[in-house]
Amino acid sequence: MLQSPLLDQARSLLGGEGAVASDRDRLRVINPATGDVLAELQAMGAEQTDAAIAAAERFLRGGSTLQQRRAWLAGVADRLMAHQSELARVITLEHGKPLKESLAEVEYAAGFFRVCADHLDHLRPHVLPGMMRRCRWTVHRRPAGVVGLITPWNFPLAMLAKKLSAAIGAGCGIVAKPASLTPLSAMALAAVAAQAGVPAGMLNVVVGPSGPIGRTLCEHPAVRLISFTGSTEVGRQLMQAVVPGMKRLALELGGNAPFIVFDDADLPAAVEGLVANKFRAGGQTCVCANRVYVHARVHEVFVDALLPRVRALKVGNGLEPDTDLGPLINREAFDKVQAHVQDAVTHGARLLAGGEAPRPAHEWG
């Protein structure tokens, strides 16, 4: 089992006040590099999500000031960097990405809190220029209400930080639902937030299956906005689910981006750009290129320059310092990539690098 002071603290912060999960429902978090069980958590559902929403409502009734929120945001940023090594290790263990990428993700996450803290004065009341009928128009900004933050597994710390920093800055009550594959990073972030003074009722984390938690967030009248990062399919389902309640919805959905190399491109830079883009987090991000188009005039030169870079990538456990490419998140992803490779070869592609994927020493959970 994973030992972490932040996670030890975080277990007491899950859900809202009185949110007790059933011992019968367990959520296992697996290390994709080894198949080991990192943690076994009590899975939450509709009842615990209701309790988390109620805690967020209680926080909203008390409110907060800009000065308080600025201090909380700056404090979270500072403590993220103070705990950078521990947080990066948690990310690597539950996601699999190389430790150097996880360290960068912690810094990336801290940046969101710093930016929000630095720009919080934009939320102060202000008078609109001009007058109509001797009226004075003053704009006051208020929290949207209780917000549901649903995050993906590929950037388990940074994607929650992106949403959470804005929600704290706005003074919202928050219910965060991390991906079931990687909940530990979100739990650790909740512990960091608590250390920075963020009230427990302001931030409530629920872990468990998406169905009952997502339905509760979509149907509960107190939840006024849902922010989701993930697949287009799930985004479409959320759009349909929030219509009856007329909730605000913020979506960041999957991409299908090409990487295009023209004949006048700086080819060494293009090679480095493709390697950095395509293999980040094992290629498991929405901004990774899904296909590469290279102009016929430079195709051969580009491929010849790319091959040694790809062949030199070290595949291994993300905790090993020389690893460039960690494991895929689970067995389903592993089998999907193998199927793509086999399909390409069947339809005439030539394998120039790889092709003999290392068989996992275990079966993923």
Side-chain angles (χ1 to χ4, degrees):
M1 301 291 284
L2 175 59
Q3 299 298 314
S4 162
L6 286 175
L7 292 179
D8 291 341
Q9 179 185 353
R11 285 182 173 86
S12 65
L13 302 174
L14 290 177
E17 184 179 352
V20 179
S22 168
D23 282 334
R24 296 190 303 271
D25 303 319
R26 311 295 291 180
L27 176 67
R28 294 198 313 163
V29 184
I30 306 297
N31 180 344
T34 65
D36 295 336
V37 177
L38 294 171
E40 195 166 313
L41 309 173
Q42 293 182 347
M44 297 181 169
E47 181 182 351
Q48 294 76 33
T49 307
D50 277 333
I53 294 170
E57 285 186 283
R58 288 192 293 274
F59 164 78
L60 277 172
R61 287 194 290 270
S64 59
T65 66
L66 281 178
Q67 290 78 11
Q68 287 176 316
R69 301 194 308 260
R70 191 194 314 277
W72 296 337
L73 290 165
V76 173
D78 290 342
R79 284 165 176 79
L80 281 171
M81 295 310 297
H83 292 287
Q84 185 180 21
S85 296
E86 182 182 356
L87 289 164
R89 184 170 178 271
V90 171
I91 295 170
T92 292
L93 284 170
E94 68 174 350
H95 176 281
K97 66 178 66 177
L99 190 60
K100 55 192 172 187
E101 290 187 20
S102 297
L103 289 165
E105 182 171 341
V106 178
E107 188 172 357
Y108 181 40
F112 287 119
F113 289 93
R114 289 200 183 95
V115 167
C116 286
D118 290 345
H119 291 81
L120 214 57
D121 283 340
H122 289 294
L123 299 184
R124 291 187 181 280
H126 64 278
V127 178
L128 294 179
M131 294 179 62
M132 291 181 61
R133 299 180 183 178
R134 299 182 180 177
C135 293
R136 184 183 185 192
W137 299 76
T138 304
V139 177
H140 296 269
R141 302 198 182 269
R142 297 289 184 261
V146 177
V147 298
L149 310 181
I150 306 174
T151 56
W153 53 262
N154 53 2
F155 289 98
L157 187 75
M159 288 301 96
L160 179 56
K162 181 179 183 180
K163 301 175 188 297
L164 182 59
S165 56
I168 290 175
C172 296
I174 302 154
V175 179
K177 196 283 180 196
S180 294
L181 289 170
T182 56
L184 303 181
S185 297
M187 291 169 55
L189 179 52
V192 169
Q195 290 179 6
V198 176
M202 186 181 205
L203 172 58
N204 310 273
V205 179
V206 288
V207 299
S210 299
I213 295 174
R215 279 194 299 272
T216 304
L217 290 174
C218 289
E219 295 172 1
H220 200 293
V223 178
R224 301 311 309 153
L225 181 150
I226 292 178
S227 176
F228 170 76
T229 299
S231 71
T232 302
E233 178 185 359
V234 174
R236 186 179 294 112
Q237 294 171 2
L238 286 173
M239 290 184 72
Q240 296 171 339
V242 301
V243 167
M246 297 292 290
K247 300 183 190 297
R248 302 185 199 180
L249 186 62
L251 299 175
E252 181 185 2
L253 306 180
N256 190 25
F259 189 95
I260 304 173
V261 183
F262 293 99
D263 58 344
D264 62 347
D266 179 336
L267 294 186
V271 166
E272 293 306 313
L274 178 58
V275 171
N277 173 276
K278 184 58 189 172
F279 296 100
R280 184 184 186 188
Q284 303 171 112
T285 84
C286 62
V287 295
C288 285
N290 290 74
R291 56 207 186 280
V292 182
Y293 295 112
V294 183
H295 196 286
R297 290 196 190 100
V298 296
H299 177 270
E300 186 174 345
V301 175
F302 181 80
V303 171
D304 287 344
L306 178 64
L307 275 176
R309 287 289 287 110
V310 173
R311 288 169 176 162
L313 292 174
K314 170 71 184 319
V315 180
N317 190 317
L319 292 178
E320 297 172 0
D322 58 344
T323 292
D324 300 305
L325 196 61
L328 295 174
I329 188 64
N330 56 20
R331 186 54 183 259
E332 181 182 3
F334 180 88
D335 291 341
K336 182 178 180 180
V337 170
Q338 280 206 319
H340 280 318
V341 172
Q342 186 57 50
D343 178 71
V345 171
T346 300
H347 288 84
R350 290 185 300 124
L351 268 176
L352 299 179
E356 293 296 327
R359 298 301 303 176
H362 62 276
E363 294 293 327
W364 283 279

